[in-house]
Structures are given as structure tokens and as C-alpha cells.
Amino acid sequence: MIPRICNLPVSLSYFLLGPRQTGKSTLINALLPEGSFSVNLLHRDRFLQLSKDPSLLRREVDAWLAHGQTTQQVLFIDEIQRLSVLLDEVHDLLERYKHLQVILTGSSARKLKRGQVNLGGGRLLENHLFPLTMEELGAAFELESVLRFGTLPSLFVMETANDIQHVRRRSDSECRDLLRAYVSLYLKEEVQEEALTRHIGDFSRFLDVAAAQNGEILNASNIARECAVDRKTVSAYFSILEDTLIGFPLLPWRKSVRKRLSLHPKFYFFDLGVVNALTQSLTETVHPLVRGRLFEHLLILETYRLRAYRKSEAGLFYWRTNTGAEVDLVIAKHGQPTAACEFKSGRNAAHGPFPGLVAFAGDYPDVPCYVVAEIDRPQLVGQTHPVRVIPWREYCQMLPDLL
């Protein structure tokens, strides 16, 4: 298993949420002490058994705990959202067994957060797992291949040579096959079940359009016209993607929270390879016209994932003026911006100009501004409002201090 950097509680009970195939089950099974009680709701016979009689879980756990063979008592339920009624039984067990640790994994927060389910009386902490980060991949992180295929764990294997373990990406053809299967078998089938709609074609068209506009400011009316559905349906579909952890919104930065919420967000899918599979862009090389967007997407994903793993209170936003000047990412803490970043692919992009950062610096002169680019050494560009241009790897190293 590829070591992960998320810090999970040692003894407290928790949810571990994340999209399918991000390695939740693999990670938890590697951490479980011997003798733990495990339930996998992806196993159809077990799912049907507990569907008919949810209280069976409680009776089985009671018997297991009464047997008392393990010093560390851990109950693990995989894909809990498939049978959220079990949360009532989990709550009862947590009430009666103070030393029982419960670990629940899920690939959809929709049924857990929107349905009338018992969330353990506040005893279950929330943690997230994402595709692999640059730090987790280490030497296996290759910019060009990540821009094409993303970092789903299934695309990588751990190998041992001369007693040394290293991570290797699968072949291009294997990566393409895995990503296409992920999109067709998961996104366009399982996620459709969350849509609560019979119009499967509408949701499929929506996914294609949403992926094509990944990282752009959302205009639900325009997307609705392209998908031939109404605006409310598009908004509902984006909520489904967010609730099933397939993507997340990036809100615009404004001093007023009310104004911030009234403006259009951007939307980013959780993985670059999934976006490229949806847009049928798993080509031999990344097209120059889209490379800049993918580079920006990659670094926003790195920031988003590390913020979650560090449980940082920092907020992530974009910034845009009424004249169209824009900053890709604003990091804010305690209601105040603390850093502004533009992401530029290609070495020539580091020369500027940077109208978005210049405009931002005019409003927030004390906030550090960065251009993150494919360069080897940091540079200062501009005279009136000098902008620090830094290598993208240096930005990733700076993230713990920025968040």
C-alpha cells in the first residue's frame, strides 16, 4: 500500500469520506488491529442480510464484545451510505460501549447529510481521503502524466526491488482503460442513482458539459441550455456531484460573506484524470490550449487536499473584478486574505503581465502575491507592484505555512 499522509484518529470514532477508488478500504484495513469486527456493504449477501434486519448488527457486535478476545475494540463498516439506517445501531453501540472505536467509510455524504439519519450524536469525527498527493507519490510524481491521468491510487502500484519499495505508474493504456471504466461504470451509473431521476441521458450530458467547463465560473443557465434541461435541474445535479464528493465549489472572495455567497462559484472535479476521461482527452500529450487550466486545477487540488488533511481553518476562494481581472486562488484566515496566487503553465508565462494580482494588490497591499509557474528559480517581476514568481514545486512545499 502507498503510505498516505492523512492523520486519522487513533482511538476516537470517525467517518472517512471520499470518492470511490481513493483507497479508503485499503487504508483502513491496513490500520485495523487483529480481531476487529468488519462489515463490507459492497458484499451483496451481507447488504441484503442487514437490509432485512438492521438490528442484526447490534446483536452480532454485542456477542463479539462479550467474547472479549481483543484488547482494542474496533468496529469497521465500509460504504455506510449504502445502508444509512445502520447508523441508529451504531449510535446505540457507542452509547453502551464507551471504549468501542467505530470507523465508517463512505463515498457519498448525500444520504448521510441530507437524509434523516443518526450521525452518532456528534461522537463521529469527519475525515476525508482524496486521490494521491505529490508528497505521497514522491519520485513517482511526473507532472505531464499527472496532468493527463490524475492520481487515483488504482493507477499506481507499489513494487519491491532489492528490498526497496517504490511506486510505479501503470502503462498509458492501462490508465486510459481504468479511467474510462471509472467514468462509465461509476459516474454514469452509480452517481445517477443519487440523481433520483429517470432521465439518465440528461445527467450524462450534464456530466460531459460540466467537465468541459471545469474550473470556470458557473453559469447554470448556459449549462442548462447546452444540456436541454431547466436551470433548477442543473443546480440539483451540481449538488449531487458535491454531495457524492466528485467535485467542490470555489467561492469568490469578498469581504462580505453575504455578497460572497450571492456570486457565482467555480466548480472543480476531484481528479484530473476523471475530467480528461469525461472530455475524452486521454491523448498522448496534453493539448496546449487546455494545459494551463489543468495546471491550475492540479495546484488547486493539492491545496484543497492538504488543507483537509491538516484540518486547517483556512478558506479557499478565487477573486475577480467587474472588469474581468482575476486571481486563481485566494487563501484567507479568520476573515482576512493571507495569500493570493496565480497559476501559469509554461516558462514564458512567468514574464507577465499579471493584471489580476496587480489589481488585488491595490486593494490588499499587505497580502503576499505569488505567481506559481514552471520555472527553476524564484523571480521578481514588475516595478510598481513587484510580483514574486516561484517554481510550482516550491509552492507545494510552502503550502503547510500558507494554510
Side-chain angles (χ1 to χ4, degrees):
M1 185 191 79
I2 299 173
R4 309 303 299 267
I5 62 172
C6 61
N7 294 315
L8 298 176
V10 175
S11 58
L12 297 176
S13 297
Y14 61 89
F15 288 105
L16 181 61
L17 301 173
R20 290 284 294 274
Q21 296 187 22
T22 49
K24 301 182 299 297
S25 303
T26 302
L27 175 61
I28 298 303
N29 282 315
L31 297 175
L32 284 178
E34 186 177 352
S36 298
F37 192 101
S38 297
V39 177
N40 189 343
L41 293 176
L42 289 177
H43 294 162
R44 184 168 179 79
D45 54 347
R46 190 62 162 141
F47 172 79
L48 292 174
Q49 186 184 43
L50 290 171
S51 297
K52 295 175 183 177
D53 183 11
S55 64
L56 175 63
L57 174 71
R58 171 167 36 87
R59 300 196 302 273
E60 289 179 343
V61 173
D62 282 339
W64 168 65
L65 291 172
H67 196 251
Q69 293 296 315
T70 59
T71 56
Q72 187 177 356
Q73 298 167 335
V74 181
L75 166 63
F76 170 40
I77 304 178
D78 203 5
E79 297 296 339
I80 183 63
Q81 86 286 341
R82 300 196 74 225
L83 196 57
S84 55
V85 67
L86 290 181
L87 286 168
D88 288 328
E89 307 302 328
V90 168
H91 186 202
D92 176 76
L93 291 167
L94 287 170
E95 287 283 346
R96 293 189 292 115
Y97 299 106
K98 304 303 181 184
H99 299 293
L100 175 66
Q101 182 185 25
V102 175
I103 302 173
L104 309 175
T105 67
S107 56
S108 172
R110 184 175 180 82
K111 293 177 182 177
L112 300 180
K113 293 184 176 180
R114 292 179 178 249
Q116 299 298 316
V117 298
N118 191 326
L119 296 180
R123 291 182 176 85
L124 291 158
L125 305 178
E126 185 173 313
N127 292 268
H128 291 262
L129 192 66
F130 305 98
L132 297 164
T133 65
M134 186 173 74
E135 179 180 347
E136 289 167 336
L137 282 172
F141 185 97
E142 299 174 349
L143 180 61
E144 296 306 319
S145 66
V146 168
L147 292 177
R148 289 172 60 196
F149 299 121
T151 59
L152 281 175
S154 59
L155 306 186
F156 299 86
V157 293
M158 180 73 82
E159 295 183 330
T160 302
N162 299 322
D163 296 327
I164 299 176
Q165 288 189 322
H166 69 279
V167 180
R168 175 184 63 82
R169 180 175 65 81
R170 297 183 186 273
S171 69
D172 289 4
S173 61
E174 289 176 320
C175 289
R176 284 193 290 266
D177 289 343
L178 287 167
L179 287 166
R180 287 166 181 158
Y182 187 97
V183 167
S184 62
L185 298 180
Y186 176 51
L187 290 189
K188 293 192 175 180
E189 290 183 13
E190 293 194 37
V191 174
Q192 281 168 359
E193 295 178 7
E194 297 280 353
L196 301 176
T197 178
R198 296 178 182 177
H199 303 292
I200 295 175
D202 291 346
F203 187 67
S204 182
R205 286 196 304 275
F206 161 77
L207 272 177
D208 295 339
V209 173
Q213 299 190 15
N214 176 72
E216 296 183 4
I217 297 174
L218 289 184
N219 187 317
S221 298
N222 289 345
I223 295 175
R225 281 194 295 272
E226 290 193 49
C227 299
V229 298
D230 60 65
R231 189 181 185 281
K232 289 184 178 179
T233 299
V234 167
S235 297
Y237 284 167
F238 271 114
S239 294
I240 290 166
L241 293 185
E242 186 178 352
D243 290 340
T244 52
L245 311 172
I246 300 303
F248 59 92
L250 193 68
L251 297 177
W253 169 257
R254 291 291 185 274
K255 291 181 180 179
S256 166
V257 174
R258 180 180 296 179
K259 290 181 180 178
R260 189 184 309 159
L261 295 175
S262 68
L263 297 173
H264 295 295
K266 293 183 177 184
F267 190 87
Y268 289 91
F269 279 74
F270 80 104
D271 180 74
L272 293 171
V274 170
V275 170
N276 290 334
L278 283 167
T279 58
Q280 299 180 11
S281 301
L282 296 173
T283 53
E284 293 301 319
T285 57
V286 177
H287 195 284
L289 293 179
V290 300
R291 192 179 189 282
R293 288 170 57 184
L294 291 172
F295 184 73
E296 171 193 329
H297 188 183
L298 168 64
L299 293 174
I300 286 177
L301 286 178
E302 282 286 316
T303 309
Y304 184 83
R305 294 167 184 173
L306 188 59
R307 182 192 65 160
Y309 287 154
R310 294 178 63 84
K311 295 181 171 57
S312 168
E313 294 182 345
L316 306 181
F317 308 90
Y318 76 93
W319 186 82
R320 184 181 176 88
T321 69
N322 56 6
T323 60
E326 189 173 305
V327 173
D328 296 327
L329 182 65
V330 173
I331 301 174
K333 294 181 182 179
H334 313 299
Q336 297 296 324
T338 56
C341 305
E342 286 241 22
F343 304 115
K344 301 291 185 181
S345 70
R347 293 181 178 272
N348 293 333
H351 300 310
F354 311 113
L357 285 179
V358 171
F360 185 88
D363 288 353
Y364 300 95
D366 298 326
V367 176
C369 293
Y370 303 97
V371 172
V372 183
E374 294 180 76
I375 58 175
D376 298 322
R377 297 178 181 276
Q379 305 172 16
L380 273 181
V381 177
Q383 297 180 348
T384 306
H385 296 286
V387 173
R388 183 172 171 80
V389 185
I390 60 174
W392 61 274
R393 287 185 180 275
E394 181 176 321
Y395 169 79
C396 294
Q397 294 170 356
M398 288 170 52
L399 276 175
D401 295 325
L402 293 176
L403 294 171

